[in-house]
Amino acid sequence: NIGKEMIDVTLLVPMGADPHDWEPTIRDTERLQEADMIIVNGIGYEHWLNSLEVTDIPGILVDTSNGISTLDSAKYDEEKHDDHAKEDGHDDEDKHDEHNHGVLDPHIWLNPVFAQLQVKNIANALSNSDPTNKNYYQSNAAIYNQKLNLLDTKIRTELSGCKTDFITFHDAFSYFSEEYGLTQHTIISSSDSHGEVTPKTLENIISLARELNIKVIFAEESTSTKTSQVIADEIGGKVLVLSPLEIVSDETYVEKMTQNLENLKDTLC
């Protein structure tokens, strides 16, 4: 959207692969060494970067999270847990010890306001690297950010006055929830989609769904819907997809986020 025909862009993580699991092959490492620029989300999302000798990569590394205020997922999750514990009248100290403190939540792209800042970071990096075409990159970025701005307004408008509590699979929607005044509850508390679902976890979520009168349990396209379906069956509800946009698909960012909005409206409005 920003570089168009002025850049030759390839995806490192292939279509259908889960970026939480993905590791670069020898060929991928060669591609990294051949690239003029490597654009990453940042905030530890590209865990494999640590295993590479960055000094061996001559290209410019662009961290699109620069200037974005990040959430500590353990701290955020704990605050929510504390609020819920206060409501329930318990204080579960053991739960706090299980948290992996200091893990930053990388899911900034799910907040269209932050996505606009990521676009600016990419446009600035391209402009600095190729100053001759600076106006072209900046103009394309401004046009694309207008679309993201419209998306932001649409989400804000269409969710206003609706309920705020929803249940999703993993802790991916904290930035989104904070932006739009929603409360995310998760089946697994991890900010990556691999986590153990215990019978106790299921029991707690079923109880929470009943307490909050939630009738939709969200699943992700990249994980089995079985867990979400078990919960939905118990509460007489249904399963819909809320995509964390982690797996590459043919649909655009705006299309996927609009689908998410429609499914959220189904449960909240």
Side-chain angles (χ1 to χ4, degrees), residues 75-236:
K75 178 167 161 287
Y76 187 76
D77 198 56
E78 230 168 62
E79 281 166 5
K80 286 190 299 178
H81 172 75
D82 288 346
D83 290 344
H84 202 62
K86 279 173 201 155
E87 286 163 21
D88 293 351
H90 348 253
D91 185 20
D92 187 351
E93 283 301 329
D94 299 337
K95 178 82 173 173
H96 291 198
D97 297 338
E98 289 167 19
H99 283 301
N100 181 4
H101 289 272
V103 177
L104 293 175
D105 182 350
H107 297 89
I108 49 175
W109 66 89
L110 290 170
N111 176 344
V113 176
F114 286 171
Q116 290 175 61
L117 295 172
Q118 291 184 280
V119 167
K120 284 178 182 169
N121 284 335
I122 295 168
N124 291 342
L126 288 170
S127 301
N128 293 337
S129 191
D130 178 20
T132 313
N133 293 305
K134 176 182 176 178
N135 290 346
Y136 180 75
Y137 300 132
Q138 295 294 339
S139 165
N140 287 344
I143 290 164
Y144 187 61
N145 268 348
Q146 281 177 335
K147 291 182 184 175
L148 297 187
N149 199 32
L150 285 172
L151 172 68
D152 167 51
T153 305
K154 181 180 171 72
I155 296 168
R156 216 172 283 282
T157 306
E158 296 188 10
L159 291 181
S160 74
C162 299
K163 290 185 290 185
T164 58
D165 291 276
F166 66 98
I167 295 172
T168 188
F169 187 71
H170 86 286
D171 185 5
F173 290 89
S174 296
Y175 294 103
F176 181 89
S177 298
E178 195 159 86
E179 189 64 51
Y180 301 110
L182 305 178
T183 306
Q184 166 192 245
H185 304 277
T186 59
I187 297 170
I188 58 171
S189 60
S190 160
S191 65
D192 83 38
S193 53
H194 304 298
E196 193 189 354
V197 181
T198 63
K200 184 69 182 161
T201 305
L202 286 176
E203 194 185 310
N204 288 345
I205 287 291
I206 290 162
S207 160
L208 180 71
R210 285 180 175 143
E211 184 189 319
L212 297 171
N213 194 27
I214 288 173
K215 292 296 182 190
V216 173
I217 304 296
F218 287 115
E220 298 169 10
E221 65 267 86
S222 60
T223 54
S224 165
T225 59
K226 199 162 64 177
T227 305
S228 302
Q229 194 61 59
V230 165
I231 299 164
D233 290 346
E234 279 294 322
I235 60 171

Side-chain angles (χ1 to χ4, degrees), residues 239-257:
V239 173
L240 291 175
V241 169
L242 195 63
S243 174
L245 279 74
E246 291 176 339
I247 307 290
V248 180
S249 76
D250 291 329
E251 292 152 306
T252 68
Y253 175 82
V254 173
E255 285 167 349
K256 294 287 280 185
M257 289 296 284

Side-chain angles (χ1 to χ4, degrees), residues 29-38 53-61:
T29 308
E30 286 169 358
R31 285 163 69 199
L32 283 164
Q33 287 164 344
E34 291 159 7
D36 299 309
M37 185 177 283
I38 297 145
E53 285 295 328
V54 180
T55 48
D56 292 346
I57 299 170
I60 299 156
L61 187 67

